[in-house]
């Protein structure tokens, strides 16, 4: 069964749903250590928290779902990774992490996590542009979410 999502104004949501979001935020911020403490602080039952916790997220949190991880094999030449990073930034993506292996046999693997939330639907363009970049031997998305 395919999941469906709706954008709903806060003032029409049931109180238990809103308090679930508040409890999750307290936990994420480290303001409380346990779910028990979080639900106590917002005045919510633990059963209601568990009922709604996996189904309600602030809209701002959805941007985190726009993170992709790209694995690339790069020629071992000066400036190749730098050019890749400039290319990613030029497409309005934000590099979050970079891990590059030690070059072996003239090639290094780089794994880059990228926030694509400002890119819109240009992820395929990013990948094809990376593949055409001089010095990039291979580029593939290995994770998303």
């Amino acid at each position: 069964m395919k999941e469906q999502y709706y954008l709903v104004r806060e003032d029409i949501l049931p109180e238990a749903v809103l308090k679930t979001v508040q409890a999750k935020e307290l936990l994420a911020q480290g303001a409380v250590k346990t779910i028990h403490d979080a639900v106590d602080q917002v005045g919510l039952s633990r059963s209601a928290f568990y009922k709604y916790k996996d189904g309600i997220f602030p809209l701002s949190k959805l941007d985190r779902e726009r993170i992709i991880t790209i694995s690339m094999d790069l020629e071992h030449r000066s400036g190749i990774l730098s050019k890749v990073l400039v290319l990613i930034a030029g497409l309005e993506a934000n590099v979050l992490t970079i891990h590059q292996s030690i070059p072996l046999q003239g090639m290094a693997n780089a794994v880059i996590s990228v926030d694509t939330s400002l890119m819109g639907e240009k992820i395929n363009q990013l990948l094809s542009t990376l593949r055409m970049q001089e010095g990039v031997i291979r580029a593939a998305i290995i994770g998303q979410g």
Side-chain angles (χ1 to χ4, degrees):
M1 186 169 139
K2 184 179 175 187
E3 292 181 338
Q4 291 185 331
Y5 295 89
Y6 302 92
L7 185 59
V8 180
R9 214 176 52 240
E10 179 183 38
D11 63 331
I12 67 170
L13 290 173
E15 185 178 9
V17 173
L18 293 173
K19 287 184 176 187
T20 300
V21 171
Q22 293 169 353
K24 287 175 66 172
E25 287 176 1
L26 289 172
L27 289 162
Q29 295 167 356
V32 294
K33 293 184 180 188
T34 66
I35 291 171
H36 177 75
D37 292 340
V39 296
D40 265 0
Q41 190 166 331
V42 299
L44 179 68
S45 71
R46 285 188 324 147
S47 62
F49 176 82
Y50 284 111
K51 179 178 180 179
Y52 297 119
K53 74 175 181 67
D54 294 327
I56 183 75
F57 304 93
L59 191 57
S60 63
K61 301 289 187 216
L62 294 179
D63 287 344
R64 292 189 182 152
E65 299 301 315
R66 304 286 300 186
I67 296 173
I68 61 172
T69 303
I70 303 169
S71 175
M72 292 176 284
D73 291 331
L74 306 175
E75 290 180 9
H76 179 54
R77 289 187 302 158
S78 180
I80 298 294
L81 180 58
S82 177
K83 287 179 183 178
V84 165
L85 297 175
V86 168
L87 188 148
I88 291 170
L91 289 172
E92 297 184 83
N94 184 32
V95 173
L96 302 173
T97 64
I98 303 169
H99 174 76
Q100 184 176 358
S101 67
I102 295 173
L104 297 173
Q105 300 174 350
M107 183 175 64
N109 179 260
V111 177
I112 301 175
S113 295
V114 180
D115 179 351
T116 62
S117 57
L118 297 177
M119 288 183 65
E121 299 301 319
K122 296 188 275 184
I123 294 173
N124 288 334
Q125 179 186 353
L126 170 64
L127 203 55
S128 62
T129 305
L130 285 171
R131 289 175 177 154
M132 292 186 302
Q133 176 66 43
E134 181 185 348
V136 176
I137 299 166
R138 180 189 64 82
I141 295 175
I142 59 171
Q144 193 165 5

